[in-house]
Amino acid sequence: MNRAMRKALEGSIKKWEKIAEGTGSDKATENCSLCKRFNSGSFYHCQRNDGEKCPVYEATGKKYCINTPYQDWSMSVRKRDKTFGTYGAKATDDETVMCAVLEVEFLKSLRPAKD
């Protein structure tokens, strides 16, 4: 994992740690470092024009964080708030906090193994 990808991954982990702690909110791709790196200015989603892929996409084989705890987060927020999206959502109940914690754990699992 190159330095720029590692920095983006760590930024996304921090986003979800703040959400899990109740101090942050989900602004979708707007405050996701990985999305900013792999979707901004790219013809492809979850992949840069040079072919480098988002580590979430690499791990799941799916775009848009499908098959990750983010899906459960999204469903929980939409059910709780009776909305279509999750923009600005905060973890304010046990279910959404747990989803945020699981997203942190998932993202941390994408860190490269130490030698």
Side-chain angles (χ1 to χ4, degrees):
M1 180 177 287
N2 66 39
R3 181 175 289 165
M5 188 185 303
R6 178 65 186 245
K7 183 177 178 183
L9 176 59
E10 293 303 319
S12 291
I13 290 168
K14 286 188 188 326
K15 166 191 171 168
W16 284 99
E17 286 175 335
K18 288 179 181 179
I19 292 171
E21 294 165 358
T23 60
S25 65
D26 179 15
K27 295 183 181 172
T29 60
E30 195 175 295
N31 70 339
C32 176
S33 299
L34 288 170
C35 290
K36 285 180 181 178
R37 177 161 177 76
F38 292 98
N39 294 342
S40 179
S42 175
F43 175 75
Y44 307 101
H45 289 283
C46 305
Q47 181 175 327
R48 293 170 47 91
N49 290 334
D50 63 7
E52 183 181 52
K53 295 178 182 169
C54 175
V56 174
Y57 178 41
E58 289 275 16
T60 64
K62 301 287 183 182
K63 295 180 180 183
Y64 314 112
C65 293
I66 293 173
N67 291 342
T68 73
Y70 184 77
Q71 266 191 297
D72 294 329
W73 161 264
S74 179
M75 295 296 285
S76 296
V77 166
R78 289 187 286 163
K79 180 178 69 176
R80 178 193 71 193
D81 297 347
K82 299 187 181 9
T83 60
F84 177 72
T86 62
Y87 189 88
K90 296 184 177 217
T92 58
D93 58 28
D94 291 344
E95 187 173 347
T96 54
V97 169
M98 181 53 64
C99 290
V101 168
L102 292 172
E103 182 68 10
V104 170
E105 290 174 2
F106 169 74
L107 291 170
K108 284 183 176 181
S109 77
L110 301 178
R111 288 173 168 159
K114 302 218 190 247
D115 296 328

